[in-house]
Amino acid sequence: MSENIIDFSDVESKDVFTKKGSYCGKVKDVELNLGKFAVRAVVVAAEPGSYLAQKVGGSKNVVIPYNMVQSIDDIIIISDFQTSDVGDSEE
């Protein structure tokens, strides 16, 4: 189960890996659901050549739904995914 994010600095610029150990990139931003005071998603800057960049076709900001976050500590671990599970961010 995912952890509670208290502050943006808890996740800013942390490395993101899949639970199988594939590197995805770094957290660039978070999306909030202000009506529920909850995190909706993390935005990951997919680095060139990373697992995530290969899945989405290049270096982009990718929106990862927060329910896919498995663990937050020194790094962030997300569930393995299909490309239909994530979305592109226009930032």
Side-chain angles (χ1 to χ4, degrees):
M1 185 70 182
S2 58
E3 306 276 328
N4 289 331
I5 295 175
I6 304 301
D7 191 80
F8 177 64
S9 64
D10 290 345
V11 295
E12 180 181 28
S13 299
K14 287 197 178 203
D15 290 318
V16 179
F17 291 84
T18 67
K19 66 182 181 181
K20 290 184 179 178
S22 298
Y23 182 65
C24 294
K26 293 188 179 287
V27 173
K28 181 174 181 174
D29 204 356
V30 294
E31 290 186 6
L32 303 173
N33 179 335
L34 295 177
K36 294 183 179 181
F37 298 101
V39 175
R40 187 177 90 67
V42 292
V43 179
V44 177
E47 296 197 15
S50 70
Y51 173 79
L52 188 56
Q54 292 172 4
K55 285 286 198 180
V56 299
S59 178
K60 300 178 182 181
N61 294 324
V62 181
V63 178
I64 306 290
Y66 193 64
N67 63 359
M68 291 180 64
V69 174
Q70 298 288 305
S71 178
I72 298 174
D73 202 341
D74 292 336
I75 62 171
I76 295 176
I77 299 174
I78 62 172
S79 302
D80 293 323
F81 57 88
Q82 300 296 318
T83 53
S84 61
D85 294 337
V86 297
D88 292 338
S89 175
E90 295 183 13
E91 293 178 26

